[in-house]
Amino acid sequence: MVDRVLGQLSLADGLTSADEMIFDLIAKELDWAPIRTLLGERSGPGSGNTSYPAEPLLRCLLLGVWHGLSDPALEAQIRDRLSFRRFAGFSLSDRTPDHSTLWR
């Protein structure tokens, strides 16, 4: 299984960037490197579908907890809200995880 490549920003992503929001400030303040180390790699040897990296999934789960969202509601909000996408590390052209991925 191979991790997906996420966050390649496009011109559209640059045009939709607004002033710093609370999620941008949180992302700057947290040192994600030790968290990334603790999470480790999700992919393993062998063939299989690509998987989402662990850090964007953790960021999605944090958004869900902070806003009291169910997995289906979180899926919808990640697709809909630019601030959620940006905090989780998804560009406008990235596929976002569905509710069953978030649930697992």
Side-chain angles (χ1 to χ4, degrees), residues 63-78:
L63 289 168
V65 169
W66 292 338
H67 292 277
L69 299 171
S70 66
D71 295 330
L74 178 58
E75 173 189 0
Q77 291 301 312
I78 292 169

Side-chain angles (χ1 to χ4, degrees), residues 7-17 90-94:
Q8 180 62 41
L9 300 180
S10 66
L11 175 62
D13 289 300
L15 294 174
T16 59
S17 293
F90 297 108
S91 72
L92 291 174
S93 59
D94 285 335

